[in-house]
Structures are given as C-alpha cells and as structure tokens.
Amino acid sequence: MGVVRRIEGGPGGGKRLVVETNLDPASIAVGDSICTEGVCLTATSIVGKTFTADAGHETLARTTLGRLTAGSRVNLERSVTPTSRLGGHMVAGHVDAVGTIASVTKNENAYDVRIETPPEVLELCIPRGSIAIDGISLTITGKDAKAFSVMIIPHTWSVTTLGAKAAGSAVNLEADVIARYVAGLLEGYVAEQKAPLTEDFFRKHGF
C-alpha cells in the first residue's frame, strides 16, 4: 500500500496525485505504469519515496480516484514483466465500473464480501472466474441478480485497502480480460437474435 500525500489540480480539469510508496524508487522510472487502486497510471516524476501521476477527467469519472483525499491509502503494483511470476490473473488496470460493497461477513479465518455491480460488469462474472477489485486479483465465489461475492484471506485483508472498507464503500472493478473478449466476439451473435452457430456465422465474423 501507498499513501496519497497531496492532490493538486491537473491539466484540463484533471487531478495530479502525489503518492508515497515503499516500492524501491530505483525500480520506478518516469513513464512507468503503476496500478493505483486498480487504475493504470503513469509516473510523471519520482522524488524520494514519492511518485506523481496525472488522472484525467475520464479516469476520475469512471473510477474511485476522484474520491481520494490526502492521507488515503491506495493499493500499488508495478507492471508485470515477461519474466515475472503471475500470481493471479492478467490485470490491465482499465477499470470497467465502480461497485459498492453490500456486506462483509467474517467466516472462520476469512471474510466473505458481496459487491453490488453494474449489469454490464456483472454479466462478465462467473463463479470461480477472476475479477480485479481495486487492483487485487480475486476469485468469484458466487453470484446473484445484483452482486457477486469473493472470499478474502487474512493476508490479503491486512496488506491491502480492503481491510479498511465496509458496507457502502466504493471499489474499482475490472472484469477478466478473457471474458471481455468473449463477450465482444459474441455481440454479433446476440445481435442476430441468437441464430445457430454455423460455419457461415463464423466466416461472416472473421473466423
């Protein structure tokens, strides 16, 4: 986790975030992407243990970054490299929507969290599939008409911002990139009123 130290006015009505981090400053260069609360931001300067990043009006409107204040804690992660271990699913830092924590229930040594989700993201969620919440790669454990659920282990609860959130808190959601592409490829099929999947259909759609 890092801490937002200052928020300044950015170009064109956006905001400039100054974030303190325990990441090794030598491992960060100007132009690097740093996932901040699940949002891919670009480091524009590095001074000591802080980096600066701009968030445009579109990012502020679609994510929770516009709600941050000085002193807010944020989840931070550097970009994966081709030789890194991938300890989760592939996360792009492109937030699809903001969800709302509906409930947090302690269940033995873990926490069950139910998150109410906009329909366009909820339809991409499947039990045992992946989703990123504030940049954290998690496994979906259940789903109903309005929300999906995840289970948070104590380690994740203690080393991320989730441990400080409760019912009513807003979170950034990024659907699994594979689910996104599958949904995109099927748009034509849905538009054709679910016509039979034939060789002609696949040929028509570029396969």
Side-chain angles (χ1 to χ4, degrees):
M1 287 186 284
V3 181
V4 177
R5 288 305 180 198
R6 294 195 314 278
I7 300 178
E8 306 166 351
K15 290 186 178 181
R16 180 163 291 155
L17 308 179
V18 180
V19 181
E20 182 179 342
T21 174
N22 286 327
L23 295 172
D24 181 3
S27 70
I28 306 172
V30 171
D32 281 357
S33 294
I34 301 180
C35 194
T36 306
E37 281 298 271
V39 183
C40 179
L41 297 179
T42 301
T44 57
S45 68
I46 297 97
V47 178
K49 290 191 172 184
T50 67
F51 71 89
T52 301
D54 291 320
H57 68 278
E58 181 75 5
T59 299
L60 297 175
R62 288 183 174 273
T63 73
T64 62
L65 293 192
R67 310 179 197 193
L68 296 176
T69 60
S72 293
R73 290 188 175 276
V74 289
N75 296 318
L76 300 175
E77 185 174 9
R78 288 167 294 184
S79 297
V80 68
T81 66
T83 56
S84 296
R85 293 180 185 274
L86 189 59
H89 72 291
M90 190 69 74
V91 176
H94 302 158
V95 171
D96 292 300
V98 172
T100 303
I101 295 178
S103 63
V104 178
T105 305
K106 185 77 185 306
N107 187 354
E108 296 182 353
N109 69 333
Y111 299 85
D112 290 325
V113 181
R114 181 173 177 269
I115 299 176
E116 292 186 351
T117 309
E120 65 273 17
V121 177
L122 188 60
E123 66 183 12
L124 300 177
C125 298
I126 59 169
R128 295 173 297 284
S130 297
I131 193 161
I133 302 174
D134 285 344
I136 306 161
S137 174
L138 294 167
T139 300
I140 296 166
T141 56
K143 174 182 173 181
D144 57 40
K146 292 184 178 180
F148 69 88
S149 300
V150 292
M151 185 198 71
I152 313 296
I153 63 172
H155 175 75
T156 302
W157 194 254
S158 65
V159 300
T160 71
T161 59
L162 285 181
K165 294 187 176 180
S169 296
V171 289
N172 292 318
L173 302 175
E174 180 185 334
D176 179 35
V177 67
I178 297 174
R180 274 197 200 142
Y181 281 116
V182 170
L185 291 171
L186 288 175
E187 280 182 0
Y189 172 61
V190 173
E192 292 184 12
Q193 299 180 342
K194 298 187 178 179
L197 290 174
T198 63
E199 288 186 17
D200 182 63
F201 171 85
F202 285 111
R203 191 179 300 111
K204 183 177 179 180
H205 290 87
F207 293 91

